[in-house]
Amino acid sequence: MNSSPKNKILYKKALEILILSKSVSKYLVHDFSALEKNGNENPFIYFTGDIIKDSDSLVPEILKAENQVFQNDRLKHACLLENLTNKLYRNCQRLEHSESNGKDFVRLLRKEVKKFKKLQRNWMMSL
């Protein structure tokens, strides 16, 4: 498998999102790590891990899609990438509704994901 991407702009944006999501998650985990008054853990803490997991999967899916020989296989991986992007976007929206001081950082991440989605649409047309 070729490890250099054909669409460098999309690849770089995916790497930026990964770095940004790790930073946002690291910042937010401090707000969500304390137990609530009723003794339960904050449910938003799981979304912080989900944004890292999903953003970490963006680059490999781009490479898998670009390195497939058959168009159906390329489109399958492109659809998986689209699902990951949509899930990442939804998790950002959920985190924006949380009781946290980091809402502005999450909003920044969501805007970057939105830019990625635009790049992704153009990229999918070229597969």
Side-chain angles (χ1 to χ4, degrees):
M1 175 158 57
N2 188 2
S3 63
S4 68
K6 294 175 185 148
N7 189 326
K8 303 250 190 254
I9 296 171
L10 184 71
Y11 180 80
K12 286 181 182 178
K13 182 57 78 176
L15 289 176
E16 288 175 15
I17 288 173
L18 175 60
I19 293 167
L20 187 58
S21 67
K22 285 182 179 180
S23 299
V24 168
S25 179
K26 193 181 292 186
Y27 184 82
L28 292 176
V29 80
H30 296 292
D31 290 344
F32 301 140
S33 62
L35 293 177
E36 294 179 346
K37 293 177 184 174
N38 61 3
N40 294 334
E41 53 188 4
N42 193 323
F44 289 105
I45 197 160
Y46 297 107
F47 297 129
T48 61
D50 288 346
I51 61 172
I52 292 176
K53 179 181 61 85
D54 294 337
S55 62
D56 193 34
S57 299
L58 295 177
V59 170
E61 283 302 322
I62 292 170
L63 294 175
K64 286 177 189 175
E66 289 182 344
N67 290 318
Q68 296 299 316
V69 176
F70 299 109
Q71 185 176 11
N72 285 342
D73 294 335
R74 286 193 300 265
L75 293 176
K76 181 179 90 172
H77 287 287
C79 287
L80 288 172
L81 179 67
E82 189 174 28
N83 290 340
L84 282 170
T85 307
N86 290 335
K87 188 176 170 193
L88 181 61
Y89 190 84
R90 281 191 310 271
N91 284 334
C92 288
Q93 286 179 319
R94 289 177 181 136
L95 284 170
E96 282 185 52
H97 296 295
S98 67
E99 297 296 323
S100 171
N101 296 331
K103 289 181 186 180
D104 293 333
F105 298 122
V106 176
R107 197 169 293 124
L108 175 67
L109 175 60
R110 188 175 52 83
K111 286 180 183 178
E112 292 302 314
V113 172
K114 194 172 185 178
K115 290 177 190 176
F116 180 80
K117 287 173 92 166
K118 287 180 183 178
L119 291 171
Q120 182 182 2
R121 269 186 246 126
N122 293 333
W123 170 77
M124 286 180 73
M125 296 297 175
S126 68
L127 283 178

